Amino acid sequence: MSLRQKKLEITKKEKKNLFIISALAVFEEKGFNNTRVKDITKKAKTSVGNFYNYFKSKEEVLEVIMSGIAELMISKFRELFIYFKDNRIPPISAVKKLFRGYAKMFKEKKETFLIFFEQMGGMDQKYRTKRNEIMDNFTDEVEKIIIKLLEYGARIQNPKISARVWTSTVLGVFIWWIRSNFELDEEELVNNLTAFLVRGTMTV
Amino acid sequence: MSLRQKKLEITKKEKKNLFIISALAVFEEKGFNNTRVKDITKKAKTSVGNFYNYFKSKEEVLEVIMSGIAELMISKFRELFIYFKDNRIPPISAVKKLFRGYAKMFKEKKETFLIFFEQMGGMDQKYRTKRNEIMDNFTDEVEKIIIKLLEYGARIQNPKISARVWTSTVLGVFIWWIRSNFELDEEELVNNLTAFLVRGTMTV
Amino acid sequence: MSLRQKKLEITKKEKKNLFIISALAVFEEKGFNNTRVKDITKKAKTSVGNFYNYFKSKEEVLEVIMSGIAELMISKFRELFIYFKDNRIPPISAVKKLFRGYAKMFKEKKETFLIFFEQMGGMDQKYRTKRNEIMDNFTDEVEKIIIKLLEYGARIQNPKISARVWTSTVLGVFIWWIRSNFELDEEELVNNLTAFLVRGTMTV
Amino acid sequence: MSLRQKKLEITKKEKKNLFIISALAVFEEKGFNNTRVKDITKKAKTSVGNFYNYFKSKEEVLEVIMSGIAELMISKFRELFIYFKDNRIPPISAVKKLFRGYAKMFKEKKETFLIFFEQMGGMDQKYRTKRNEIMDNFTDEVEKIIIKLLEYGARIQNPKISARVWTSTVLGVFIWWIRSNFELDEEELVNNLTAFLVRGTMTV
DNA sequence: AATGAATGAGTGTTCATTCAT
DNA sequence: CATGAATGAACACTCATTCAT
C-alpha cells in the first residue's frame, strides 16, 4: 500500500467516523426510526448520496454502532476485571474500581448507550435478539465477579440470578444517571451501587 | 339509554379491547414501527377501515396501552403497599408479598410490559418523555418502601438512589424473566429479589 | 294502489326531499367533494345506511338536484316569457317582469344555484358537459327575447352572441347577488340589469 | 453563487414550471379532485416522489397557479388601462384595445382560466373565498373604466353594479369562448362585447 | 469523492357502499 | 324502514436508495 493510499485510507476512516458520530447524535434525539438519512448527512455537512459511499444502508450504521457497544462492554470488563486478580486489592475496592471505569465509559459514550438500551428493543426481531445476546454475554462475565465475591462470603443466592440482578441494576442505574444528565456525583453513585450490590450478594 | 344501546355499548368496548389485544401481540412481535395497521386488523379478524371506527390513528392504540400501564403500575403498588401498613406483617414478608403481586401482574400483562420497556424508548421524544415520567412516578412510590424499611434498620444510603436501584432492579429482572419465558420458578425469583434488595438497603 | 300504499309513497317522497335539502345545505357549505354521506345524513337526522334506501349513490342526489335546476330554469323562463306575447306590455316591462321572476327564484333556491354555477365545473367531465348543456339550452331560450326585442329596434349584434351575453350577465350578476347575501335592493338590481341589457342590445 | 449553482437554479425553475403545465392540463381534463398526483407526474414524465421535491402537496400546485392568475388579471388590466389615459384615443377604442388584450391572454392561458372559473368554486371554503377575492379586486379595477366612460356620457347606473355587470359579462363570455374552442372570430367578439357594454353603460 | 434530483415501493388513513340486526 | 359497524379499494405522501453529472 502506497503512502498516498494509506492517507486515503485514514481519511476514509475518519469520514466514516464522522457519519457514525452524526448518526449517533441524531438517533439519540429522534430515535432510529424517525431519523432520515438526510438528517445524518446534514449533521455531517455532506450529501445524501455520499453517505452511500461509506455505508451500504442506513441499518449498517446501526450495526457498526452496536458491534462497537458489544465489544466495548466486554473489553472494558476484561480490562477492569484485572483488579479482582490482584490479591492485594480487597474485592469491594475492586468492584468500586470496576464501577468507576464503567461510569467513565458511560459518560463518554452516552448517546451510544442510550440508543442501545432504549431504542434497540423497539426495532425489529433481529435487533432485539442481538441486544439480548449482548446482555447475556455481559451477564456471563458479571457472574465471574459474583464467584470472586463468594470466595469471601457465604453464598445464599443463585449466582445466575445474582448476576442478572447485577446487570439489571448497574445498567438501569447508569442509564438513569445519563438521562438525568449526570446530576448525581459520580463517586456517590459508585459507592452506593457497590455497597448495595456487594451487601445484597454476600452474607456474613 | 335503551337496553339495545347498552348492549351495543358493551360490544363496542369489547371490540375495542380486541383491537388492543391484537395490537399488543403484533407490536410485541414486530415492534410498533414495523407493525402495519393491516397486521392488527388481520389478527382481530376484521378490516382495516373498521380499525378507524375505534381509534383515530395507529398511535392512539399505543397511547391507550401506555395509559393502562401507567395506571396499572401505580394502582397495583398502592394495592400491595397495604401490607406495609399492617404492623403484624414483618417488612420482609411485606416486600415478598409485593413482589409476588408484581410477578403475577407481569405474567398476565407480559406483552404490555415488553412493549413498554423495550420499545417505547425507540419511538419519538414524546414517548420517551412519557416513559420516563411513568418510571419516575413509580420510583417515587418505591421510595415509600425504602422509608418503611428504614424504620427497621439503619440507613446507609441515599434513599433516592435506593429507590432508583429498586426500580431498576425489579423491572430489569422481571423483564428478563418475561423474555426467558418464565423459566425460573416464581417463588425462587421473589425470594432472591427480596433478599437482595432488602439486604442491600438495610444494615444491622 | 291502496290508500296505505299512497301514504307510504308520500312519506317516501318527503323523506327523499329531506335528504335533498340536507344535501344542498352541506354541498353549499363544504362543496360536493368535501361532503361526506355522513354529513348529509347527520343533517337529515338519520343514519348513513338509510340514505341508501333512497338513493343508489352520493352522485345520484346531485343528479336529482341538477335535473331540478335544468327543468326549473327552462320552465320558469317559459312561464315568464308569456309577458312578451302579450302585446299590451312594452318589451322593457316584459324584461323587467322576467328578471323579477328570476330574482325571486334565485332567492328561493340559492343553494341550488350556487352549487350549479360554482361547483359543478369542478367535478368531472360528465358534470361539466351537463352544465354546459343546461347553459346552452337556456341561451337558446334567451335568444327568443333578443328576437322579440329586435322587432322593436335595429339589430346591430350577432343574436347568438347577444344571447350569450345575456346569459353570462344575468347569471353572473345573480350569483354575485346571492353571494353578497342579497345586499343590493332587488328592484334596483332588476332595473339596472334591464336597462343595461336592453340598451346594450338595441339601437334607436 | 457559482455558475454551476445558477444553472441548477434555472433547471429547477424550469422543472417546477413543467410540473405546473402538466398539472394544468390534467386538472383541466379531470378536475382537481379527480386528478391523481401520478397523473401529473406521468404527464411530466417523472416519478411521483420527484413531484414532492418541488411542491409540498398537491394543493400547493393549485395555489401557485391561482396566485399566478390573480396577478395576471390585475397586471394585464393595468398594462391595458394605459390607453384610457391617452387622451388621443377615444374611450371606445380604449375598451376595444383592452378586450383584445384580454382575448389574447385568455387564449394563451385557457387551461388556467378554465380551472379558475369552473373548478375553484367546487373545492373548499378556502378556495371559494380566494376566488371571490380575486373577482372583487378585478371588479374594483373595472370600476375605473366605468368612471372614465362617465366622463363622456351621463351616468344612469350605479357604478358598482355596472362594474359587476362588466366583470360577469366579460368573464362569462370569454369562458364560453374558450369552451367553444375559440370558434367565434376574435375581432367580432371584441366588437360585440365593446358595443354591448359601452352602450349599456352610457347614455347620450 | 461529492452532489442532490430521480425513483417507486410502501403505508396510514379516508369514505362510499354494503349488510347483519 | 332504520341503524351503524364492517368492508376494502383508493390515494397522498414518505424516504431509502440509486444514478447522472
Side-chain angles (χ1 to χ4, degrees):
Chain A
M1 199 184 270
S2 76
L3 192 66
R4 192 185 135 79
Q5 280 177 315
K6 264 188 208 157
K7 249 191 196 158
L8 277 176
E9 207 54 29
I10 290 167
T11 327
K12 193 154 185 181
K13 204 164 250 175
E14 275 169 2
K15 189 83 190 193
K16 195 163 182 171
N17 225 38
L18 175 60
F19 277 121
I20 292 176
I21 290 166
S22 307
L24 270 173
V26 195
F27 288 165
E28 207 274 304
E29 191 194 332
K30 310 193 169 194
F32 177 78
N33 279 299
N34 296 314
T35 294
R36 311 292 146 236
V37 174
K38 199 169 183 192
D39 298 328
I40 299 170
T41 56
K42 205 173 178 181
K43 185 142 253 161
K45 289 186 203 299
T46 181
S47 66
V48 201
N50 200 23
F51 175 88
Y52 288 88
N53 286 327
Y54 297 86
F55 299 91
K56 67 178 202 301
S57 71
K58 184 182 144 191
E59 286 217 329
E60 210 197 43
V61 205
L62 193 67
E63 270 154 26
V64 171
I65 292 171
M66 290 311 157
S67 307
I69 280 274
E71 208 199 327
L72 184 62
M73 278 178 63
I74 299 297
S75 70
K76 196 74 184 174
F77 188 91
R78 289 187 182 153
E79 177 197 326
L80 297 168
F81 191 70
I82 203 170
Y83 299 124
F84 289 92
K85 292 177 176 161
D86 181 339
N87 284 322
R88 288 163 306 174
I89 302 174
I92 291 198
S93 300
V95 172
K96 265 190 199 165
K97 277 170 186 289
L98 189 137
F99 286 165
R100 248 183 240 120
Y102 266 82
K104 197 162 162 287
M105 181 182 81
F106 272 84
K107 228 172 183 168
E108 271 166 10
K109 306 268 179 183
K110 57 178 183 167
E111 287 98 344
T112 318
F113 281 102
L114 282 177
I115 289 159
F116 179 70
F117 288 107
E118 306 220 299
Q119 301 195 26
M120 224 173 147
M123 296 167 188
D124 69 19
Q125 197 60 51
K126 185 167 89 186
Y127 290 104
R128 252 176 297 169
T129 307
K130 175 123 191 170
R131 182 177 113 140
N132 293 346
E133 268 170 41
I134 295 176
M135 299 273 274
D136 289 350
N137 287 341
F138 186 69
T139 306
D140 287 347
E141 299 287 333
V142 168
E143 215 182 322
K144 293 180 193 162
I145 301 182
I146 311 291
I147 290 163
K148 273 282 174 195
L149 288 181
L150 295 184
E151 297 171 9
Y152 291 83
R155 174 174 95 151
I156 64 140
Q157 309 240 33
N158 176 331
K160 289 267 178 238
I161 301 183
S162 294
R164 187 59 63 174
V165 168
W166 277 62
T167 305
S168 303
T169 306
V170 171
L171 299 183
V173 170
F174 274 127
I175 287 298
W176 158 72
W177 191 49
I178 294 178
R179 271 205 314 255
S180 77
N181 209 23
F182 311 104
E183 215 181 78
L184 189 68
D185 175 69
E186 184 181 318
E187 202 53 27
E188 190 179 359
L189 183 71
V190 167
N191 285 335
N192 275 289
L193 214 45
T194 307
F196 202 98
L197 290 174
V198 172
R199 195 135 17 87
T201 311
M202 294 173 78
T203 149
V204 233
Chain B
M1 201 185 272
S2 75
L3 192 66
R4 191 185 135 79
Q5 279 178 313
K6 262 188 212 159
K7 246 188 199 160
L8 279 176
E9 209 56 29
I10 290 167
T11 322
K12 202 154 185 186
K13 203 164 251 175
E14 275 168 2
K15 189 85 195 191
K16 192 163 185 171
N17 228 37
L18 174 60
F19 276 120
I20 293 176
I21 290 165
S22 308
L24 269 172
V26 195
F27 288 166
E28 207 275 303
E29 189 194 333
K30 310 196 169 196
F32 178 79
N33 280 296
N34 296 311
T35 294
R36 308 296 139 236
V37 174
K38 193 157 192 203
D39 297 330
I40 300 170
T41 55
K42 205 171 177 182
K43 183 142 260 164
K45 288 185 203 301
T46 181
S47 64
V48 192
N50 200 26
F51 174 88
Y52 289 90
N53 284 330
Y54 296 86
F55 302 91
K56 67 179 198 304
S57 70
K58 186 181 138 192
E59 284 218 329
E60 209 197 43
V61 206
L62 193 68
E63 270 155 26
V64 170
I65 292 171
M66 291 312 157
S67 307
I69 280 274
E71 208 199 328
L72 184 61
M73 278 179 61
I74 299 296
S75 69
K76 195 73 184 177
F77 188 92
R78 289 188 182 153
E79 177 198 325
L80 297 168
F81 192 72
I82 203 169
Y83 298 125
F84 289 90
K85 292 176 177 162
D86 182 340
N87 285 322
R88 288 160 307 174
I89 300 176
I92 291 197
S93 301
V95 172
K96 266 191 199 168
K97 278 171 187 288
L98 188 137
F99 286 164
R100 251 184 237 118
Y102 266 82
K104 196 163 164 287
M105 182 183 82
F106 273 83
K107 230 173 183 167
E108 272 165 10
K109 306 268 178 182
K110 57 178 181 166
E111 287 98 345
T112 317
F113 281 102
L114 282 178
I115 289 161
F116 179 69
F117 287 107
E118 306 221 298
Q119 301 195 25
M120 221 172 153
M123 295 165 186
D124 70 18
Q125 196 59 52
K126 184 166 91 185
Y127 291 106
R128 255 177 296 169
T129 307
K130 176 121 191 170
R131 183 178 111 138
N132 293 346
E133 267 172 41
I134 295 175
M135 299 273 273
D136 289 350
N137 287 342
F138 185 68
T139 304
D140 288 347
E141 299 287 331
V142 168
E143 213 183 323
K144 292 182 194 160
I145 300 183
I146 311 291
I147 289 163
K148 273 283 173 195
L149 289 182
L150 295 183
E151 296 170 10
Y152 291 83
R155 173 173 96 147
I156 65 139
Q157 312 240 33
N158 177 330
K160 289 269 177 236
I161 301 183
S162 295
R164 187 59 64 172
V165 168
W166 278 63
T167 304
S168 302
T169 307
V170 170
L171 299 183
V173 169
F174 274 127
I175 287 298
W176 159 73
W177 191 50
I178 294 178
R179 270 205 312 257
S180 75
N181 209 23
F182 311 104
E183 217 181 75
L184 190 69
D185 174 68
E186 183 181 319
E187 201 53 27
E188 190 179 358
L189 182 72
V190 167
N191 284 336
N192 274 291
L193 213 44
T194 307
F196 205 100
L197 291 173
V198 171
R199 195 128 26 82
T201 311
M202 294 175 79
T203 152
V204 234
Chain C
M1 202 186 270
S2 76
L3 192 65
R4 192 184 136 78
Q5 279 176 314
K6 265 189 211 157
K7 248 190 195 160
L8 277 177
E9 209 54 29
I10 290 168
T11 326
K12 192 156 185 179
K13 203 164 250 174
E14 276 170 359
K15 188 85 192 193
K16 196 163 181 169
N17 226 38
L18 174 60
F19 277 121
I20 292 176
I21 290 166
S22 308
L24 270 172
V26 195
F27 288 165
E28 207 274 304
E29 190 194 332
K30 311 195 168 194
F32 177 78
N33 278 299
N34 296 313
T35 294
R36 311 290 144 238
V37 173
K38 200 171 181 189
D39 297 329
I40 299 171
T41 55
K42 205 173 177 182
K43 185 143 254 162
K45 289 184 203 298
T46 179
S47 66
V48 201
N50 200 22
F51 175 88
Y52 288 87
N53 286 327
Y54 295 86
F55 300 90
K56 68 178 200 304
S57 72
K58 185 182 144 191
E59 287 217 328
E60 210 196 45
V61 206
L62 193 67
E63 270 154 25
V64 170
I65 292 171
M66 290 311 157
S67 308
I69 280 274
E71 208 198 328
L72 184 62
M73 277 178 63
I74 298 297
S75 69
K76 196 75 186 174
F77 188 90
R78 290 192 179 149
E79 177 197 325
L80 296 168
F81 192 70
I82 203 168
Y83 298 124
F84 289 91
K85 291 177 177 160
D86 182 339
N87 284 323
R88 288 162 305 173
I89 300 175
I92 291 199
S93 302
V95 172
K96 265 191 200 167
K97 278 172 187 288
L98 189 137
F99 286 164
R100 250 185 237 117
Y102 266 82
K104 196 162 164 286
M105 182 183 80
F106 272 84
K107 228 172 184 168
E108 272 165 11
K109 306 269 179 181
K110 58 177 184 169
E111 286 98 345
T112 318
F113 281 102
L114 281 177
I115 289 159
F116 179 69
F117 287 107
E118 307 221 297
Q119 300 194 27
M120 223 173 149
M123 296 166 187
D124 69 18
Q125 197 60 53
K126 183 166 92 186
Y127 290 106
R128 253 177 296 168
T129 307
K130 176 125 192 168
R131 183 179 114 139
N132 293 346
E133 269 170 39
I134 296 176
M135 299 273 275
D136 290 350
N137 287 341
F138 185 68
T139 305
D140 288 347
E141 300 286 334
V142 167
E143 216 183 320
K144 292 182 192 159
I145 301 183
I146 311 291
I147 289 163
K148 273 283 175 197
L149 288 182
L150 295 185
E151 295 170 9
Y152 291 84
R155 174 173 94 152
I156 65 140
Q157 310 240 34
N158 177 331
K160 290 268 177 238
I161 301 184
S162 295
R164 186 59 62 173
V165 168
W166 278 62
T167 305
S168 301
T169 306
V170 170
L171 299 183
V173 170
F174 274 128
I175 287 299
W176 159 72
W177 190 49
I178 294 178
R179 271 205 312 255
S180 75
N181 210 22
F182 311 104
E183 218 182 74
L184 189 69
D185 175 69
E186 183 180 320
E187 201 54 26
E188 190 179 357
L189 183 72
V190 167
N191 285 336
N192 274 288
L193 214 44
T194 307
F196 205 100
L197 289 174
V198 172
R199 194 130 22 84
T201 311
M202 294 175 78
T203 152
V204 234
Chain D
M1 202 185 271
S2 76
L3 192 67
R4 190 186 137 78
Q5 279 178 313
K6 261 187 211 158
K7 242 189 202 160
L8 279 176
E9 209 56 28
I10 290 167
T11 323
K12 204 154 182 186
K13 204 165 252 173
E14 274 168 3
K15 190 85 195 191
K16 193 163 184 170
N17 228 38
L18 174 61
F19 276 121
I20 293 176
I21 290 166
S22 307
L24 269 172
V26 196
F27 287 166
E28 207 276 304
E29 189 195 333
K30 310 196 169 196
F32 177 79
N33 280 297
N34 296 312
T35 294
R36 307 296 138 236
V37 173
K38 194 160 190 200
D39 298 330
I40 299 171
T41 55
K42 206 173 177 180
K43 183 142 257 163
K45 290 185 203 300
T46 182
S47 64
V48 189
N50 200 26
F51 174 88
Y52 289 91
N53 284 331
Y54 296 84
F55 300 92
K56 66 180 198 305
S57 70
K58 187 182 137 189
E59 284 218 330
E60 208 198 41
V61 206
L62 192 67
E63 269 155 28
V64 171
I65 293 171
M66 290 312 157
S67 307
I69 280 274
E71 208 200 328
L72 184 62
M73 279 178 63
I74 299 296
S75 70
K76 196 75 186 173
F77 188 91
R78 290 190 180 153
E79 177 197 325
L80 297 169
F81 191 70
I82 202 169
Y83 298 124
F84 289 92
K85 292 178 177 161
D86 181 340
N87 284 324
R88 288 161 307 174
I89 300 175
I92 291 199
S93 301
V95 172
K96 266 192 199 164
K97 278 171 187 287
L98 189 137
F99 285 165
R100 252 184 236 118
Y102 266 82
K104 196 162 165 287
M105 181 182 81
F106 273 84
K107 229 172 184 169
E108 272 166 10
K109 306 267 179 184
K110 58 178 182 166
E111 286 98 346
T112 318
F113 281 103
L114 282 177
I115 289 161
F116 179 69
F117 287 108
E118 306 221 298
Q119 300 194 26
M120 223 172 152
M123 294 167 188
D124 70 17
Q125 196 59 52
K126 185 167 89 186
Y127 290 105
R128 256 178 293 170
T129 307
K130 175 122 193 170
R131 184 178 114 138
N132 293 346
E133 268 171 38
I134 295 176
M135 300 274 273
D136 289 350
N137 287 341
F138 186 68
T139 304
D140 287 347
E141 298 288 331
V142 167
E143 214 182 323
K144 293 182 194 160
I145 300 183
I146 311 289
I147 289 163
K148 273 284 174 196
L149 288 181
L150 294 184
E151 295 172 9
Y152 291 82
R155 175 174 93 147
I156 64 141
Q157 308 242 34
N158 177 331
K160 290 267 176 238
I161 301 183
S162 294
R164 188 58 64 173
V165 168
W166 279 62
T167 304
S168 302
T169 306
V170 170
L171 299 183
V173 170
F174 274 127
I175 287 298
W176 159 73
W177 191 50
I178 293 177
R179 270 206 312 256
S180 74
N181 209 24
F182 311 105
E183 216 180 76
L184 190 68
D185 174 69
E186 183 180 320
E187 202 51 26
E188 189 179 357
L189 183 71
V190 166
N191 285 336
N192 275 289
L193 214 45
T194 308
F196 202 99
L197 290 175
V198 172
R199 195 134 18 87
T201 311
M202 293 176 77
T203 151
V204 234

